[in-house]
Amino acid sequence: TLGDGEGVKGVYVSIDVDCLDLGYAQGLSYLESGGLSLRAVLNILQNLQGDIVGGDVVQYNPKRDTIDNTTALVTAKIV
């Protein structure tokens, strides 16, 4: 469908990591349960049809991250 980027010359992707379930990311500005899995987000990105020309990842909050920096690692994986 056109909604996945098909037919678009350039796609700017903005990922709000608040969309992730708390099991994947705890270092978020706003904590919500029942979010997406990391695999679901990666599948969305990998299936985009348009050329990605730029992007950003927002709402990572290092002050709330776990001691092993799980959210930082998940965010880096998305990037």
Side-chain angles (χ1 to χ4, degrees):
T1 66
L2 189 56
D4 64 4
E6 184 179 351
V8 177
K9 292 184 180 180
V11 176
Y12 184 91
V13 178
S14 182
I15 302 291
D16 185 334
V17 290
D18 286 353
C19 73
L20 293 169
D21 186 76
L22 292 177
Y24 299 94
Q26 299 81 36
L28 308 174
S29 294
Y30 302 100
L31 303 175
E32 293 283 341
S33 61
L36 297 170
S37 69
L38 176 59
R39 174 57 32 213
V41 172
L42 294 177
N43 283 340
I44 291 167
L45 292 172
Q46 292 168 346
N47 288 310
L48 285 175
Q49 298 297 313
D51 293 325
I52 297 175
V53 297
D56 60 28
V57 177
V58 298
Q59 298 297 338
Y60 167 61
N61 186 341
K63 291 181 180 180
R64 290 190 171 182
D65 207 352
T66 58
I67 195 162
D68 59 355
N69 298 314
T70 300
T71 309
L73 295 171
V74 166
T75 302
K77 178 82 171 170
I78 291 171
V79 172

